[in-house]
Amino acid sequence: MAPSRESILPPEPVEPDFVLWHSPCNHPALMTARCGLLALGVSLALASLAGAASPSGPPPAWSWPEAQRAFLEDGPGWLLSAEQRAELEALDEAGREIWIDDFLSTDPFPETPENELTEAIRRRRALAHAEAESPADVRFRLVFLNGNPQSRQVVDCGFAFKPLEVWRYAPTTEASRRSIAIQQAANPPGSKDPGLKAPRRFSGWEEGPRLVIFRPSQTAAWRLWDPFDGKKALYSSEMEYLLQQYEELRNLISGERFDVQVCKEAREVDNATGVMALTMFLRGRPVVDAIHAFVAPPADLALWVREALSGRPAEPAKPELTVAAPIYAFPRKAGSLIAARMLLEVTADEVIKVGEDGKVHLLVEGTLEAAGAPFAQGRIRYQLDPPATGATLGLALDEALRPGSVLMGRFKITDETGGGQARVSGVIRVPLAPRAEDAAQSYEGAVIQGERLAQEVAAAARDSLILAPPLDGQVALATFRAQALVTGVRIKKVAFSVDGVVQVTRTQPPWTAEVRLATQPTEQLIKAVGYDENGEVVATDEIAINQPRGAFRVRILEPKKGEKTAGRIEVRAEVVVPDERTVSRVELKVNEEVVATLVKPPWTAPVEVPRGEGTHYLTVVAWLDDGRQTEDVHFLNAPENLSELEVRTVELYTTVSDRGGRLVKGLAQEDFQAFEQGRPQKITKFELVENLSLVIGIAIDTSGSMSSSLAEAQEAGRTFLEQVVRSRDRCYVVAFSGKPTLAMPPTTDLGGCLSALDGLLAVGWTALHDALVTSLYYTREMEGQRALVLLSDGDDTASSIAFDDALEYARRSGVVIYPIGLNVGGLDLGIHRKLGQLAQETGGRVFFIDRAEDLSGVYQQIEEELRSRYLIAYASDRPEGREYREVEVKVKKGGLKARTIRGYYP
């Protein structure tokens, strides 16, 4: 079915407020062809066709109409016996429709006026969706069939285990009784395992069966563990190796097993699996059928319905948005892939509400699945002008998919103002070639994300070269692994350069090179040139890394203000680009005459300045892709009596406390004095910042030593963000172990930040310095009060940046830092000194605590302080110069102390 032009409302095109698509390239600024090629092309090239039917057998479920497929695979079909399922699958489409209607009309309690089966299915589906979005996740199936567990133990020990949970079900449920009966029949009293000398007998199943749910990898779906998997399936590769050594040498080793030493929940995993370490089996351990009883169809459907309707009343259903089934179009080729457009049509009705800003706020969360496993997940936020009632909002997303692949798309659409929701899904059957009818369709007015992807990939020639950007749009520190995707046969050599200087040349695959970068992150241009065997250039590509993001502005860096210069000079500028935008061009003008036009960084070019007497002026104008422009001007060779008017306003966010450390509010402007380089300054702006917007980041240590504390740290971080972040604020999350990772870029999407905290694992070393610079980098050009909470339990062990360089970067950032040292020993003087310096230099406050449980109290103090600061601004009496300026704020009233940054760089 091709999209209909009439079905798409044509409002003004609006960019999404925030995009995060969890594939190898998910940063908003990098949703381009090269990202799509890596993220989806490579992934799908490895994906096998799903569910192909045999020539003589019934058609696979993915070829059924969506409602019939969803019945079989997304819940109700799990209630069917093997015979019922076979009967349904043997029918044609019309027969399946009748069969499903008959099944759903089954009334297990005909004496009542309502049909309890449909209500039970609705309730269990709601419970399952609250646990997991996709039915491919075994947690969805477990909850749908059995309800929520009586208890669950989250095992958050990244160094020892893969992500896993231990669920215990009450022994009185129907599935538990079946499971216990199977277990008892397989292990009658007095039975022994032939030849097995186990240390003890497995017990405890009668108190309630325990199930282990684990995630084999970050990209895999959660699954149910059974004995066929072996215990090693639950361990990290590092711990598996250590336990192999332990078991081989256990007669020579005294002391606890390695997994028990680092993870207090290891014994619980032993008790749930019936296996100690890797292969030390307990007698009477759980059998496969006893575990699989929880994913088997119920033996008594009426009893299942009764259990589903018993207990706590179901949560009130959220208002239902009107969303049509997804439409998929395949208009053109994208290299060896097919450009696919996924279109969601949302009808504007009374359920959709308008926010305080006069906009409609829609959040789309999506998952693409291949062969039952997720390979891409994403969140896209749209801010739209209110449509007319009954009109249709078209939300489209372009991706490149493998020809002939069969995928599942699942989407949840939420109205963030009114709370309305809808879930839609649909099978994506990618054709072997583009469809002509799709290419002829117009998508004018649809809000499209990723449209450039297909255009750029399709433009690539057979013999081509594409540079891959940093994964996930991460800031590149010290070095960068440049990777060139080379196609065709002509390219025999690739030269990699940074800012025009060739650093590495490769003459054979793999076409990768580690290039050196500036000491601190700054915008740089990486270029790869592919040559044939005769030295002729075949293809080139380049990427800009560490591009400044924030409020749109341009600044001339060279020549400096007041320089006497003439003739040919080098002009260098910096452009700060807002999120979701790109620079279309930069013009350099001398006396209003355009002398150079640049379309890509570095924003550097030689220009001619007229010689002889006279004042000239240099103008640099930057243009965004949406038509906005900004400029900076320098006078050249101006006489000394001609001065450029420049007012440099210095903003100092200041905290005031009394002798007892209590925060002090209610002060007036006349209570303060501001000093720069020891000289008093005239305060021109004064405000208590309770109502000012905030950009708040959490940088959380996820190294292996955090394994026992991470769960508590995540929960405390969630509570902190929920309390401190308001609708006009932005938040972001950085996780760091051996390297820092941007888990969520700065966004107004609080839910996105909370989800980012949930997905963290504790494993690896500690790159504290790199994490600090990375965290500050993402807000370096944002306006307003900015704060970073930095949580770590130890000193740096893996950074590429020295602490002094990181501290200098913090000084220049203008971000207040609140370091938290968790369980840091009193003799760890290095980390004490570092965290203390960071707080002192940036106007923050350092905390040292012994237990993760104390984090909630620390976060409460930080929240109170952030909403109790004073904004003190003055116009510096020394606007010229770029040297570091020391600043100080004093309170005239006795007994009070002001805390702010120690200094700044103009």
Side-chain angles (χ1 to χ4, degrees):
M1 174 180 178
S4 168
R5 178 175 184 171
E6 289 72 27
S7 68
I8 303 174
L9 176 72
E12 286 295 315
V14 180
E15 287 292 329
D17 169 62
F18 169 69
V19 178
L20 179 61
W21 195 258
H22 297 289
S23 53
C25 301
N26 64 7
H27 193 277
L30 297 172
M31 291 290 292
T32 61
R34 48 179 66 92
C35 280
L37 186 61
L38 284 174
L40 294 171
V42 175
S43 299
L44 290 170
L46 302 176
S48 59
L49 284 174
S54 63
S56 58
W62 56 256
S63 66
W64 296 4
E66 175 58 21
Q68 296 181 8
R69 183 213 62 78
F71 171 87
L72 185 68
E73 297 185 335
D74 294 355
W78 299 329
L79 303 174
L80 308 181
S81 66
E83 294 76 14
Q84 288 175 310
R85 178 177 286 264
E87 180 183 346
L88 174 62
E89 291 176 339
L91 298 173
D92 60 13
E93 180 178 332
R96 292 193 298 268
E97 189 72 26
I98 296 171
W99 196 100
I100 291 172
D101 285 343
D102 287 345
F103 178 83
L104 294 177
S105 299
T106 302
D107 191 350
F109 306 108
E111 64 275 12
T112 63
E114 59 275 343
N115 185 331
E116 286 82 2
L117 174 61
T118 55
E119 174 61 15
I121 290 174
R122 187 196 70 78
R123 286 197 185 190
R124 281 290 174 84
R125 265 183 165 163
L127 274 182
H129 274 302
E131 181 66 41
E133 279 300 322
S134 172
D137 186 327
V138 76
R139 296 174 299 179
F140 187 106
R141 185 167 183 170
L142 285 170
V143 171
F144 181 84
L145 288 172
N146 309 288
N148 287 322
Q150 185 178 45
S151 65
R152 74 175 72 196
Q153 175 71 58
V154 177
V155 179
D156 189 11
C157 303
F159 182 75
F161 291 101
K162 294 170 183 174
L164 63 86
E165 299 177 3
V166 178
W167 289 17
R168 182 190 289 271
Y169 275 97
T172 55
T173 67
E174 191 265 348
S176 290
R177 289 197 296 270
R178 277 189 292 154
S179 177
I180 292 170
I182 294 170
Q183 182 68 13
Q184 289 175 338
N187 297 282
S191 63
K192 297 181 180 180
D193 290 330
L196 180 64
K197 296 180 180 180
R200 58 185 174 86
R201 184 171 180 83
F202 175 79
S203 62
W205 201 262
E206 296 78 8
E207 301 169 3
R210 284 165 294 191
L211 307 176
V212 177
I213 297 96
F214 73 106
R215 193 175 190 182
S217 70
Q218 282 286 70
T219 58
W222 287 76
R223 55 174 292 186
L224 179 64
W225 180 88
D226 68 39
F228 283 140
D229 293 315
K231 183 80 174 294
K232 69 178 183 180
L234 304 180
Y235 285 108
S236 67
S237 57
E238 295 87 351
M239 185 54 67
E240 180 186 350
Y241 172 78
L242 292 174
L243 290 177
Q244 286 174 344
Q245 309 307 307
Y246 174 86
E247 292 192 355
E248 290 177 5
L249 303 172
R250 66 175 178 264
N251 293 330
L252 304 176
I253 298 176
S254 61
E256 291 276 20
R257 287 175 2 222
F258 299 128
D259 57 336
V260 175
Q261 291 180 40
V262 300
C263 183
K264 62 184 179 182
E265 293 90 0
R267 296 293 189 196
E268 180 67 20
V269 181
D270 289 351
N271 294 332
T273 59
V275 184
M276 299 172 62
L278 295 176
T279 59
M280 300 165 64
F281 303 105
L282 302 182
R283 298 191 303 276
R285 62 193 179 278
V287 297
V288 172
D289 289 345
I291 294 173
H292 286 186
F294 287 87
V295 290
D300 185 333
L301 184 61
L303 181 57
W304 180 86
V305 170
R306 193 181 301 278
E307 287 185 354
L309 298 180
S310 65
R312 207 174 46 173
E315 294 289 332
K318 294 181 182 288
E320 185 75 16
L321 298 178
T322 304
V323 182
I327 298 174
Y328 305 110
F330 310 94
R332 56 187 176 271
K333 290 277 289 181
S336 62
L337 307 178
I338 299 291
R341 172 158 293 168
M342 297 168 279
L343 182 67
L344 300 174
E345 296 182 345
V346 183
T347 301
D349 52 25
E350 68 278 359
V351 177
I352 292 182
K353 306 300 181 184
V354 178
E356 296 179 356
D357 58 355
K359 299 283 187 180
V360 170
H361 297 258
L362 296 180
L363 169 66
V364 177
E365 298 171 276
T367 300
L368 299 182
E369 298 172 358
F375 70 84
Q377 297 174 308
R379 297 166 59 88
I380 306 176
R381 303 181 73 218
Y382 297 96
Q383 296 184 12
L384 310 168
D385 291 329
T389 301
T392 303
L393 292 167
L395 309 178
L397 174 70
D398 280 6
E399 294 293 347
L401 305 178
R402 178 182 177 231
S405 57
V406 179
L407 311 169
M408 170 60 66
R410 302 184 188 276
F411 304 93
K412 181 172 76 171
I413 302 92
T414 303
D415 173 12
E416 295 188 289
T417 302
Q421 284 188 349
R423 286 181 172 87
V424 294
S425 59
V427 174
I428 309 172
R429 293 181 285 273
V430 184
L432 296 175
R435 298 194 304 215
E437 63 270 26
D438 292 349
Q441 290 293 328
S442 170
Y443 299 91
E444 180 182 356
V447 183
I448 298 171
Q449 175 60 32
E451 186 174 14
R452 288 187 302 165
L453 169 83
Q455 298 170 354
E456 294 186 20
V457 174
R462 169 175 166 74
D463 292 290
S464 65
L465 180 153
I466 297 178
L467 265 178
L471 293 181
D472 298 337
Q474 299 292 337
V475 56
L477 302 173
T479 61
F480 173 68
R481 172 64 65 176
Q483 303 181 57
L485 293 166
V486 174
T487 62
V489 297
R490 290 181 58 202
I491 295 178
K492 304 298 183 183
K493 182 177 72 172
V494 176
F496 297 90
S497 64
V498 178
D499 292 340
V501 178
V502 175
Q503 291 192 5
V504 180
T505 300
R506 294 279 184 255
T507 57
Q508 61 183 11
W511 306 108
T512 65
E514 189 168 90
V515 294
R516 299 181 305 279
L517 303 178
T519 303
Q520 293 187 349
T522 186
E523 185 175 28
Q524 294 185 276
L525 191 71
I526 313 295
K527 185 174 183 178
V529 181
Y531 300 90
D532 64 14
E533 58 187 7
N534 298 318
E536 298 293 328
V537 175
V538 177
T540 66
D541 192 23
E542 53 193 21
I543 54 173
I545 61 173
N546 299 341
Q547 186 180 41
R549 290 275 165 183
F552 182 38
R553 67 171 177 82
V554 62
R555 184 172 65 181
I556 299 173
L557 303 178
E558 298 287 346
K560 298 289 193 301
K561 286 182 180 291
E563 267 191 29
K564 299 293 184 180
T565 184
R568 192 175 181 83
I569 66 170
E570 189 82 4
V571 175
R572 183 166 62 93
E574 177 186 68
V575 182
V576 178
V577 186
D579 285 335
E580 310 297 340
R581 301 260 64 97
T582 58
V583 177
S584 63
R585 71 183 188 277
V586 172
E587 293 180 347
L588 280 61
K589 301 179 181 179
V590 175
N591 298 338
E592 288 302 320
E593 179 184 353
V594 177
V595 295
T597 300
L598 307 172
V599 295
K600 60 188 177 184
W603 310 114
T604 301
V607 303
E608 288 286 341
V609 177
R611 298 181 184 275
E613 298 292 331
T615 299
H616 309 282
Y617 54 96
L618 169 69
T619 306
V620 177
V621 186
W623 300 74
L624 290 180
D625 53 355
D626 63 1
R628 283 183 286 167
Q629 68 179 84
T630 186
E631 66 179 43
D632 189 19
V633 180
H634 278 194
F635 287 100
L636 304 177
N637 303 329
E640 293 184 3
N641 60 354
L642 175 63
S643 61
E644 297 179 52
L645 180 61
E646 179 180 15
V647 178
R648 186 183 305 282
T649 300
V650 180
E651 294 185 341
L652 304 176
Y653 290 93
T654 305
T655 302
V656 179
S657 57
D658 60 18
R659 288 191 176 95
R662 293 178 292 271
L663 297 175
V664 177
K665 298 183 181 181
L667 299 178
Q669 178 175 329
E670 53 268 22
D671 295 321
F672 291 89
Q673 293 176 301
F675 299 86
E676 181 177 296
Q677 298 292 83
R679 296 194 307 275
Q681 305 290 315
K682 181 180 179 181
I683 297 175
T684 58
K685 182 180 181 180
F686 177 84
E687 188 174 355
L688 184 64
V689 300
E690 285 180 314
N691 298 317
L692 292 183
S693 62
L694 174 68
V695 181
I696 180 72
I698 290 185
I700 186 168
D701 185 346
T702 56
S703 61
S705 57
M706 283 286 293
S707 59
S708 62
S709 306
L710 186 56
E712 191 72 31
Q714 288 169 302
E715 183 58 34
R718 285 179 56 88
T719 302
F720 170 65
L721 289 179
E722 288 174 335
Q723 292 175 347
V724 77
V725 176
R726 302 172 183 174
S727 59
R728 61 183 176 274
D729 298 332
R730 287 178 175 261
C731 58
Y732 66 102
V733 177
V734 172
F736 64 95
S737 52
K739 66 177 183 179
T741 301
L742 180 64
M744 181 63 61
T747 176
T748 56
D749 182 11
L750 173 60
C753 288
L754 300 180
S755 297
L757 282 171
D758 288 343
L760 303 181
L761 302 175
V763 62
W765 304 103
T766 306
L768 177 65
H769 309 162
D770 288 357
L772 172 63
V773 173
T774 297
S775 303
L776 298 175
Y777 172 85
Y778 289 109
T779 59
R780 59 182 177 167
E781 298 293 345
M782 290 187 175
E783 297 179 343
Q785 60 166 337
R786 296 167 292 153
L788 172 68
V789 178
L790 176 67
L791 171 65
S792 181
D793 70 344
D795 207 343
D796 191 282
T797 59
S799 283
S800 58
I801 294 179
F803 176 71
D804 288 345
D805 291 330
L807 181 62
E808 182 69 11
Y809 196 82
R811 287 194 186 104
R812 294 175 180 271
S813 71
V815 178
V816 59
I817 301 175
Y818 293 94
I820 304 174
L822 173 60
N823 196 26
V824 175
L827 297 179
D828 294 332
L829 301 181
I831 188 64
H832 273 270
R833 176 183 61 84
K834 290 177 181 179
L835 298 186
Q837 274 190 279
L838 287 172
Q840 187 177 38
E841 294 289 337
T842 63
R845 183 179 170 192
V846 66
F847 300 86
F848 291 99
I849 57 177
D850 295 329
R851 305 177 307 158
E853 290 85 348
D854 298 330
L855 278 170
S856 57
V858 170
Y859 281 142
Q860 185 174 355
Q861 295 179 61
I862 295 174
E863 176 196 358
E864 183 181 0
E865 184 165 309
L866 287 173
R867 297 299 183 189
S868 306
R869 297 199 292 169
Y870 298 90
L871 172 58
I872 297 170
Y874 64 87
S876 174
D877 62 0
R878 293 183 57 199
E880 73 288 345
R882 299 288 183 186
E883 73 282 355
Y884 182 72
R885 316 274 183 89
E886 291 187 356
V887 297
E888 184 181 10
V889 173
K890 293 182 178 180
V891 185
K892 297 177 183 178
K893 293 184 177 181
L896 301 183
K897 181 180 179 180
R899 175 162 38 89
T900 189
I901 59 174
R902 292 282 296 273
Y904 75 98
Y905 286 91

